[in-house]
């Protein structure tokens, strides 16, 4: 055996495991999507059936709403929190740790807790808001079609903005102090420091974090499934949940696989567009 | 343009006082260099003038106005940092125009001012570049340009040349000096390099351990150092300091080496430190006998380290010295140019 094939023998076990763990499920999903329950080849039937379902376009738009809405607020709040936590004030260490909490709490625990807090009759949120006279009568936050999505977005933002905050904070801390001092001598006030020094300097961090948030957002099931299961009336049905329900509630694995394949393709396109768009901005990453 | 008046300025970090009452008056248009060993408080003083460091005591006034509580931007100063502190995400042009932009100046006015400064510094070809695409010397120039564009009352420099190689340092030194002669803006320049201080300054402020040791023009400091610290700090190689006793106009070291010091009879008989610059030793067949330790020819002159009267003494001679270490070299001391200091206080004694 020459050098190359000896090497191959050594990496083979790892490659086989990797293939079984990654390639097999992907390939099998592909296979499932073009066969029926008996395993007979049916061409694109599963795809047309899924696309014909009324829930599919709705889930698609819901997903865009949920992911887009979450990311905007996660990035805005996360960055704002990071800037705040980067200032000098008494008790900063404690506040920093507390900010981290939502990120540490397991998703399912957070979801259940929030579900109770938003409960129409027993939830603390309705209790406090009616008590304070902000709203005249209890609102069915999770049962009302117009409030349920914003509430879920809010919970998702609460859960993930600390992640953005930590990453951006790390970026802010690597900015040399000289730059702030130079800006102050140049006449910058606090907001001008934020917009001319801090944000440009953490731009690359925000770009990377946003990409992660897109990927996680497109995969997020826990919070929504634990709180509403996609209801009421499919108002919070996002595509990952639709796939999950097709597979495990309707036990239609073939259609679920077809939907997965399409979802994967769309997600891939979004991610590629995002990376391309940011890679082509005039190079000013440090 | 403006004057800078520092009166009894103090700085403490908690219980630790690092500046113990510094007073310096800088006239309008003057180029003043703060020089001193590392950690003596030069940067701290400069940053107090800039408003980047709070003033713990005393007063600093710029152009006659006390600025103790004013923010940096209200002091009308510009600063060049050791690290340059250029904004990495802005082009050279944007870096230089940043302060004007913050001040709300119209676009074409900014452009004109930046172009003017760029022309003066030879940066016209680099205006569209980012700082990371510039060499150290070019960055240094951009940092100066950023300060010049402001047309401030006072320029503050904190060791602006210490990141450059020796040759570039010499070149930038004269460039800074030339720009000062053109603009005539009051300048406070921090360095720990006494050559930079000597060559650039109108006046030098020598600091040590948070106090001012002496203020004066470069040649004043060189010719009449006020104390042993300044004597040793200014000049390269440093002044030789010999301990001994002055008796009836003759200086004698502990081992009996003696030579006459004219004009010093008025001191009477007492212990002193005698300072003599290396260039004021000369080869003299009838001189004192010194044992050579090392010989360092630089081409134009020769530096010889030797033992004389129980001290290590450096001499700089225009002649070439061919003797080997261990041999005896006859030297004489140009005693008229010797400096006499009090051994206890370190202060200069005047005849
Ligand atoms: N934030 C701080 N807290 C406590 N001590 C400080 C602080 N900043 C500076 N010092 C001390 O103040 C003294 C003066 O520091 P400074 O930076 O002014 O020195 P310097 O003369 O500029 O020295 P160098 O030539 O090395 O730059 C030093 O002893 C330093 O340890
Ligand atoms: Mg310093």
């Amino acid at each position: 055996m020459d050098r190359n094939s000896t090497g191959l023998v050594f990496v083979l076990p790892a490659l086989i495991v990797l293939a079984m763990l990654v390639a097999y499920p992907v390939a099998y999903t592909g296979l499932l999507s073009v066969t029926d329950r008996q395993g007979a080849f049916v061409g694109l039937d599963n795809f047309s059936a899924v696309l014909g379902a009324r829930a599919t376009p709705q889930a698609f738009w819901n997903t865009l709403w949920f992911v887009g809405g979450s990311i905007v607020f996660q990035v805005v709040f996360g960055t704002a929190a990071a800037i705040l936590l980067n200032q000098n004030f008494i008790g900063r260490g404690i506040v920093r740790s507390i900010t981290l909490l939502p990120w540490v709490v397991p998703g399912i625990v957070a979801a259940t807790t929030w579900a109770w807090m938003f409960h129409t009759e027993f939830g603390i949120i309705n209790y406090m808001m009616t008590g304070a006279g902000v709203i005249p009568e209890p609102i069915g936050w999770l049962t009302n079609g117009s409030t349920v999505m914003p509430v879920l977005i809010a919970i998702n933002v609460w859960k993930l903005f600390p992640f953005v905050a930590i990453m951006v904070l790390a970026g802010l801390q690597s900015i040399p102090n000289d730059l702030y001092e130079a800006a102050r001598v140049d006449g910058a006030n606090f907001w001008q420091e934020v917009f001319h020094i801090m944000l440009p300097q953490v731009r690359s961090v925000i770009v990377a974090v946003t990409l992660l948030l897109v990927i996680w957002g497109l995969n997020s099931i826990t919070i929504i499934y634990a709180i509403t299961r996609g209801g009421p009336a499919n108002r919070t049905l996002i595509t990952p949940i639709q796939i999950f329900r097709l597979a495990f509630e309707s036990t239609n694995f073939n259609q679920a696989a077809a939907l997965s394949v399409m979802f994967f393709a769309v997600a891939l396109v979004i991610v590629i567009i995002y990376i391309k768009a940011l890679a082509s901005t005039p190079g000013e990453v440090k | 343009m403006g004057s800078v008046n520092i009166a009894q300025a103090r700085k403490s970090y908690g219980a630790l006082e690092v500046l113990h009452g510094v007073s310096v008056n800088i006239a309008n248009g003057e180029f003043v260099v703060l020089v001193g060993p590392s950690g003596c408080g030069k940067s701290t003083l400069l940053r107090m003038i800039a408003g980047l460091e709070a003033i713990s005591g005393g007063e600093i006034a710029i152009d006659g106005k006390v600025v103790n509580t004013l923010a940096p931007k209200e002091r009308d100063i510009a600063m060049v940092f050791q690290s340059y502190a250029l904004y990495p995400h802005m082009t050279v042009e944007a870096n230089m125009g940043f302060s004007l932009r913050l001040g709300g100046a119209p676009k074409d006015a900014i452009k004109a001012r930046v172009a003017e400064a760029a022309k003066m510094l030879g940066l016209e070809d680099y205006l569209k570049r980012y700082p990371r695409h510039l060499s150290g010397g070019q960055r240094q120039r951009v940092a100066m340009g950023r300060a010049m564009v402001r047309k401030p009352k006072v320029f503050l420099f904190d060791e602006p040349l210490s990141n450059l190689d020796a040759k570039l340092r010499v070149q930038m030194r004269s460039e800074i000096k030339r720009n000062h002669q053109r603009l005539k803006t009051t300048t406070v320049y921090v360095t720990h390099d006494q050559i930079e201080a000597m060559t650039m300054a109108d006046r030098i402020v020598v600091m040590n351990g948070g106090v001012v040791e002496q203020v004066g023009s470069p040649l004043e400091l060189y010719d009449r150092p006020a104390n042993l610290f300044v004597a040793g700090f200014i000049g390269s190689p440093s002044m030789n300091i010999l301990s001994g006793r002055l008796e009836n106009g003759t200086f004698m070291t502990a081992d009996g080496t003696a030579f006459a010091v004219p004009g010093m009879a008025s001191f009477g008989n007492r212990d002193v430190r005698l300072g003599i610059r290396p260039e004021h030793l000369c080869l003299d067949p009838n001189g004192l006998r010194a044992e050579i330790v090392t010989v360092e020819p630089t081409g134009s002159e020769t530096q010889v380290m030797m033992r004389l009267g129980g001290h290590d003494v450096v001499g700089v001679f225009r002649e070439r010295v061919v003797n080997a270490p261990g041999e005896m070299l006859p030297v004489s001391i140009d005693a008229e140019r010797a400096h006499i200091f009090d051994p206890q206080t370190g202060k200069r004694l005047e005849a």
Side-chain angles (χ1 to χ4, degrees):
Chain A
M1 276 195 276
D2 64 29
R3 243 183 95 80
N4 251 337
S5 42
T6 319
L8 202 61
V9 171
F10 280 115
V11 296
L12 208 56
L15 280 181
I16 291 172
V17 172
L18 205 67
M20 278 164 50
L21 289 178
V22 178
Y24 176 77
V26 171
Y28 191 59
T29 304
L31 182 67
L32 277 179
S33 69
V34 290
T35 53
D36 66 10
R37 273 166 213 267
Q38 280 70 45
F41 181 75
V42 293
L44 296 179
D45 284 2
N46 289 323
F47 288 86
S48 53
V50 171
L51 283 178
R54 271 197 39 215
T56 307
Q58 192 178 3
F60 179 74
W61 290 117
N62 285 344
T63 309
L64 282 193
W65 256 118
F66 180 72
V67 174
S70 297
I71 285 174
V72 168
F73 290 104
Q74 281 159 353
V75 169
V76 169
F77 288 141
T79 308
I83 290 172
L84 204 67
L85 293 176
N86 195 38
Q87 304 304 308
N88 267 319
F89 56 87
I90 301 165
R92 178 170 74 171
I94 297 171
V95 178
R96 277 188 187 171
S97 322
I98 292 176
T99 311
L100 268 181
L101 275 181
W103 167 243
V104 179
V105 174
I108 192 78
V109 175
T112 320
T113 312
W114 280 108
W116 269 107
M117 288 168 63
F118 276 109
H119 194 279
T120 314
E121 289 155 53
F122 312 116
I124 186 163
I125 288 172
N126 272 339
Y127 175 77
M128 294 208 326
M129 287 179 90
T130 48
V134 181
I135 48 174
E137 56 189 37
I139 293 180
W141 297 106
L142 299 173
T143 48
N144 185 331
S146 61
T147 56
V148 62
M149 191 53 124
V151 165
L152 287 178
I153 289 177
I155 296 173
N156 194 35
V157 168
W158 172 86
K159 183 83 182 69
L160 281 181
F161 90 92
F163 169 75
V164 181
I166 307 173
M167 301 300 281
V168 174
L169 181 59
L172 286 175
Q173 284 173 338
S174 70
I175 302 178
N177 207 26
D178 279 1
L179 285 191
Y180 294 115
E181 293 184 339
R184 271 196 276 156
V185 170
D186 272 345
N189 59 29
F190 175 75
W191 292 110
Q192 288 166 327
E193 277 179 36
V194 168
F195 285 105
H196 295 297
I197 307 292
M198 298 186 203
L199 292 184
Q201 288 287 297
V202 294
R203 184 174 163 275
S204 54
V205 175
I206 293 179
V207 167
V209 165
T210 306
L211 181 60
L212 270 180
L213 289 176
V214 170
I215 294 169
W216 289 348
L218 291 175
N219 283 312
S220 59
I221 287 194
T222 316
I223 289 177
I224 297 187
Y225 195 74
I227 296 178
T228 65
R229 300 187 163 242
N234 284 354
R235 275 308 180 108
T236 58
L237 183 76
I238 62 171
T239 307
I241 291 182
Q242 191 192 359
I243 295 171
F244 183 83
R245 281 171 52 171
L246 263 177
F248 297 104
E249 290 177 12
S250 323
T251 58
N252 193 335
F253 285 97
N254 304 94
Q255 287 191 12
L259 187 51
S260 298
V261 168
M262 288 188 287
F263 188 54
F264 176 67
V266 172
L268 202 63
V269 168
I270 293 177
V271 169
I272 288 174
I273 290 175
Y274 180 80
I275 292 176
K276 277 263 149 54
L278 284 158
S280 65
T281 24
E284 49 192 60
V285 191
K286 296 180 274 188
Chain B
M1 281 194 239
S3 59
V4 178
N5 299 90
I6 305 167
Q8 286 300 315
R10 291 174 181 278
K11 176 71 194 179
S12 333
Y13 292 104
L16 175 75
E17 191 174 81
V18 298
L19 283 186
H20 316 287
V22 170
S23 301
V24 183
N25 291 312
I26 299 168
N28 191 3
E30 211 175 3
F31 195 115
V32 166
V33 173
L34 303 181
V35 69
S38 188
C40 70
K42 310 174 295 278
S43 299
T44 305
L45 182 60
L46 194 77
R47 292 163 54 81
M48 283 161 72
I49 301 173
L52 295 171
E53 210 69 76
I55 300 169
S56 311
E59 242 177 37
I60 295 182
I62 295 176
D63 204 15
K65 184 167 147 211
V66 175
V67 295
N68 281 35
T69 56
L70 294 187
K73 63 174 169 182
E74 293 158 332
R75 298 187 182 199
D76 203 359
I77 44 103
M79 183 151 170
V80 176
F81 294 79
Q82 179 173 354
S83 60
Y84 315 139
L86 300 178
Y87 310 120
H89 53 279
M90 294 184 200
T91 59
V92 167
E93 189 170 21
N95 260 287
M96 288 171 63
F98 187 58
S99 60
L100 296 180
R101 196 172 130 211
L102 291 181
K107 274 216 168 65
D108 38 342
I110 299 178
K111 226 178 160 67
R113 289 270 279 277
V114 169
E116 186 189 351
K119 184 151 174 255
M120 209 155 160
L121 293 163
L123 284 171
E124 290 123 311
D125 295 341
Y126 306 103
L127 287 178
K128 297 291 176 220
R129 290 216 203 160
Y130 287 94
R132 66 177 178 286
H133 295 140
L134 297 176
S135 72
Q138 290 161 345
R139 285 180 208 187
Q140 215 287 327
R141 272 194 208 115
V142 176
M144 283 203 307
R146 188 170 66 180
M148 277 163 48
V149 162
R150 305 261 312 272
K151 305 205 166 148
K153 286 199 185 114
V154 182
F155 282 138
L156 305 174
F157 290 83
D158 193 353
E159 309 209 13
L161 305 185
S162 56
N163 290 342
L164 303 180
D165 67 46
K167 192 160 167 229
L168 201 51
R169 198 146 46 194
V170 173
Q171 184 192 336
M172 292 307 296
R173 206 157 77 191
S174 57
E175 234 173 81
I176 293 178
K177 191 73 194 145
R178 199 172 61 232
N179 285 332
H180 175 253
Q181 277 155 4
R182 270 192 278 184
L183 297 171
K184 305 242 179 332
T185 307
T186 313
T187 302
V188 185
Y189 185 106
V190 164
T191 179
H192 59 250
D193 177 352
Q194 55 99 14
I195 306 228
E196 244 171 60
M198 294 294 282
T199 51
M200 298 173 83
D202 293 331
R203 273 196 310 151
I204 298 178
V205 176
V206 182
M207 294 179 65
N208 183 32
V211 298
V212 172
E213 296 279 359
Q214 190 176 2
V215 182
S217 73
L219 292 182
E220 262 166 48
L221 298 192
Y222 190 81
D223 293 339
R224 299 174 57 80
N227 51 47
L228 281 171
F229 178 81
V230 177
F233 194 81
I234 299 289
S236 169
S238 334
M239 188 187 283
N240 301 298
I241 308 287
L242 310 176
S243 315
R245 199 170 162 76
L246 210 52
E247 265 176 41
N248 304 322
T250 301
F251 177 80
M252 187 157 46
T253 60
D255 70 347
T257 309
F259 52 90
V261 185
M264 297 289 169
S266 60
F267 291 130
N269 300 344
R270 60 175 298 177
D271 287 341
V272 294
R273 296 278 174 84
L274 179 136
I276 184 77
R277 296 209 178 269
E279 57 271 34
H280 298 148
L281 296 176
C282 35
L283 298 178
D284 176 0
N286 308 318
L288 305 161
R289 290 170 61 76
E291 185 191 345
I292 298 177
V293 180
T294 56
V295 177
E296 295 173 0
T298 62
S300 61
E301 52 192 26
T302 314
Q303 266 188 39
V304 182
M305 161 100 86
M306 48 208 160
R307 293 291 295 174
L308 179 64
H311 293 87
D312 280 328
V313 172
V314 176
V316 173
F317 306 109
R318 301 212 58 88
E319 300 88 348
R320 301 213 162 165
V321 176
V322 290
N323 307 49
E327 286 179 32
M328 287 298 179
L329 192 69
V331 296
S332 67
I333 287 174
D334 184 356
E336 286 192 18
R337 306 171 98 155
H339 309 260
I340 305 290
F341 301 96
D342 184 300
Q344 268 83 48
T345 62
K347 289 228 169 0
R348 177 186 191 85
L349 297 174
E350 295 283 2

